[in-house]
Amino acid sequence: MFRLSNNLVGILNFITFLLSIPILWAGIWLKNKGTSECDKFFDTPVIVLGVFLLLVSLAGLIGACCRVSWLLWTYLLVMFLLIVLLFCFTIFAFVVTNKGAGQVLSGKGYKEYKLGDYSNWLQKRVGNEKNWRKIKSCLIDAKVCSDFNQKFVNDTVDVLYTRHLSALQSGCCKPSDSCGFIYKSPTNWEKTTTNSTSDPDCNAWDNQTDVLCFNCNSCKAGLLDNLKRDWKKVAVVNIIFLVFLIIVYSVGCCAFRNNRRDNNAYSSGWKHP
């Protein structure tokens, strides 16, 4: 006999099942139609997420509505592991994003970013050449610096210095102020022979639109600053999602208990009223 908890679990998992279909379709579309390295970077995780949601929602839906106890038990086990993993990830996200901030420059509207200011774990992720090649491809495809150049192309250097640039624009699309390059346009700077700075980013700078400062440590630091802020937002959302998952898990436990009670009743030759 159906109970309220069984109906709730069934409804929630039916909604999840419907949501998993477009997610899975999007992953397959990216795998088959994606042309850039950035597209290919996301196809497998999206497909895995879609398949995971599809299978888990089916287990919960069938287990709750058809009184299949072993499926509902599997569903609850996966939910429990998901709650633990999400809790661990939330704590981890707060820990690794605790360090790092842009450096305020006197008389400038933007900040500059140093890779060494961020956590070692994050530094290793962007320090991996294979990882960074994919990330750099995404940044180029997203036209981060092309849009930056078009937006401020008519600025003089003094006006550009007053702009409130994003972390990526400051770190990837222009050389560090310490380089002392001569300004021509937002993404075109003339190197000076008298510059004696030890900053390796100055040597990494190139005026080619697909190079600029994409190989600079300042660009990696700018990305990490963006990532830091995004992860903190995700961590807050995770806390809300955790509360929701715990509620669903509790309702699922009630549904599992109902299944066992009804199964025991049927095996004894009578039904609950």
Side-chain angles (χ1 to χ4, degrees):
M1 128 182 219
F2 289 141
R3 311 287 178 88
L4 177 61
S5 55
N6 293 66
N7 290 334
L8 282 175
V9 172
I11 291 170
L12 289 171
N13 281 283
F14 180 69
I15 294 172
T16 305
F17 172 77
L18 293 179
L19 290 174
S20 69
I21 295 175
I23 293 175
L24 185 59
W25 178 85
I28 295 173
W29 184 88
L30 282 174
K31 191 172 186 66
N32 293 328
K33 302 292 185 179
T35 54
S36 69
E37 193 70 30
C38 190
D39 292 335
K40 296 174 183 177
F41 185 71
F42 288 106
D43 59 6
T44 301
V46 172
I47 291 174
V48 170
L49 176 62
V51 171
F52 174 78
L53 291 175
L54 183 70
L55 294 177
V56 171
S57 60
L58 281 175
L61 183 63
I62 297 172
C65 296
C66 301
R67 292 200 303 271
V68 182
S69 295
W70 71 268
L71 265 181
L72 194 55
W73 184 89
T74 303
Y75 168 78
L76 291 174
L77 176 63
V78 173
M79 286 289 288
F80 176 77
L81 293 176
L82 183 60
I83 289 171
V84 172
L85 288 173
L86 200 57
F87 176 78
C88 293
F89 173 77
T90 302
I91 298 299
F92 175 75
F94 277 116
V95 171
V96 299
T97 58
N98 192 42
K99 292 178 59 180
Q103 298 178 358
V104 178
L105 302 176
S106 177
K108 303 294 193 302
Y110 53 83
K111 299 178 181 179
E112 288 199 340
Y113 302 86
K114 304 298 181 183
L115 186 59
D117 292 340
Y118 296 86
S119 72
N120 290 331
W121 188 86
L122 287 176
Q123 289 185 49
K124 289 178 182 178
R125 302 289 79 75
V126 295
N128 182 287
E129 188 61 32
K130 183 179 179 181
N131 289 344
W132 184 247
R133 189 163 54 248
K134 292 180 179 180
I135 295 170
K136 183 170 66 173
S137 174
C138 290
L139 295 176
I140 294 173
D141 289 342
K143 301 185 185 302
V144 172
C145 292
S146 297
D147 292 343
F148 162 76
N149 185 58
Q150 290 180 5
K151 186 175 182 180
F152 304 121
V153 66
N154 294 321
D155 285 2
T156 63
V157 65
D158 292 330
V159 174
L160 184 68
Y161 283 158
T162 64
R163 299 292 189 182
H164 297 285
L165 306 180
S166 70
L168 288 176
Q169 289 174 337
S170 175
C172 305
C173 305
K174 55 173 284 298
S176 171
D177 283 23
S178 64
C179 296
F181 293 166
I182 299 173
Y183 176 82
K184 298 296 183 181
S185 73
T187 56
N188 189 344
W189 298 73
E190 182 182 331
K191 291 186 177 182
T192 56
T193 56
T194 58
N195 182 51
S196 59
T197 181
S198 59
D199 189 345
D201 286 356
C202 298
N203 293 325
W205 170 265
D206 193 291
N207 288 326
Q208 294 183 47
T209 56
D210 59 343
V211 180
L212 300 178
C213 219
F214 287 121
N215 295 316
C216 299
N217 286 332
S218 63
C219 187
K220 297 175 182 179
L223 177 79
L224 293 185
D225 194 76
N226 268 16
L227 190 65
K228 173 187 172 180
R229 286 184 279 108
D230 290 343
W231 272 31
K232 285 193 172 180
K233 293 176 184 176
V234 169
V236 172
V237 174
N238 279 352
I239 293 173
I240 299 172
F241 189 47
L242 263 175
V243 174
F244 173 75
L245 283 180
I246 291 171
I247 293 173
V248 173
Y249 179 77
S250 301
V251 175
C253 289
C254 293
F256 180 69
R257 184 180 60 191
N258 290 341
N259 281 5
R260 295 194 63 179
R261 186 180 298 166
D262 289 344
N263 289 338
N264 290 336
Y266 280 118
S267 63
S268 301
W270 61 279
K271 298 180 181 179
H272 279 286

